[in-house]
Amino acid sequence: PQQGPHKVSVNARLRARTMHFALLGHEFAYMVRRLNVLQAIEGWSTTKAVQHHIVLLHTADAERMKSAVIAGTTLLPRDRTSTHSMDTLPPATRKLHHLMTANVTSGPGASPCWKLLAPFLPSRALVDRRVSLDSDMLFLQDPHSLWTSFDDFSSPHLVGAALNHDGIVGFNSGVLLLELSRMRGERSEWMHALQTGVRALRQSNVRLGWLAD
């Protein structure tokens, strides 16, 4: 059945108010023990307008995590926690990740690069903004203060990230504010930036480091 204009506008307002936080992990066994940051967000939040996203590389692991969420073993709200698989990305986008991570020195350098492709996940089509977090992050206050950093974005801004603080030149991928609604599409500015970056990596023979920051 079709929704009336009033219901559509109400749903749009609810989507606009909802905060979205995501973790990305290699596999179920690794990730199920590293949900502390999402649990902390749930505990500190003064509103229930929080949606938790758990992203795994493969569909089988995402299904196992979904079962754990339903069973209550993740200690996250069943109705506000979703699981996603990078297997569902379009083939061309998966190929882009392969080209992006062809030269990795060691460690999990290829995994953080999946975060850059989050806008193209079909299961995130209705999510306009998202904060992507590493599992070792520590929350000590209401996550709303971090979420409101999106208010500082102007119309061209796509990503918010902090500079590395350990002497390494570049940005840290531990916390990424992603303006997903502006990043989607095969001809988007974001896709163009990724493709340009991949060409530059391949031409310069630069190798991704331990964390790909």
Side-chain angles (χ1 to χ4, degrees), residues 7 16 39 61 72 74 115 139 156 192 200:
K7 189 168 184 178
Q39 294 163 357
D61 288 305
T74 63
K115 299 177 183 179
F139 267 79
H192 176 71

Side-chain angles (χ1 to χ4, degrees), residues 101-119:
T101 59
N103 291 323
V104 179
T105 54
S106 60
S111 293
C113 292
W114 286 114
K115 299 177 183 179
L116 305 179
L117 305 176

Side-chain angles (χ1 to χ4, degrees), residues 35-125:
L35 299 175
N36 306 63
V37 63
L38 294 183
Q39 294 163 357
I41 287 171
E42 181 67 19
W44 280 104
S45 179
T46 56
T47 174
K48 295 305 178 185
V50 178
Q51 185 75 26
H52 306 284
H53 300 269
I54 306 172
V55 186
L56 293 122
L57 298 191
H58 303 297
T59 301
D61 288 305
E63 288 298 319
R64 288 186 67 188
M65 186 65 75
K66 180 179 179 180
S67 297
V69 171
I70 294 172
T73 56
T74 63
L75 304 181
L76 293 170
R78 299 177 181 89
D79 60 331
R80 291 186 286 107
T81 303
S82 57
T83 60
H84 310 265
S85 167
M86 301 307 284
D87 280 342
T88 62
L89 283 170
T93 308
R94 292 181 58 81
K95 181 179 180 181
L96 185 64
H97 179 269
H98 174 73
L99 295 174
M100 187 186 304
T101 59
N103 291 323
V104 179
T105 54
S106 60
S111 293
C113 292
W114 286 114
K115 299 177 183 179
L116 305 179
L117 305 176
F120 309 107
L121 272 174
S123 56
R124 297 274 185 81

Side-chain angles (χ1 to χ4, degrees), residues 156-182:
H157 291 159
L158 304 177
V159 181
L163 290 170
N164 272 317
H165 55 79
D166 52 7
I168 301 175
V169 176
F171 295 93
N172 190 285
S173 63
V175 179
L176 293 176
L177 279 69
L178 304 176
E179 189 70 66
L180 301 179
S181 62
R182 302 175 188 168

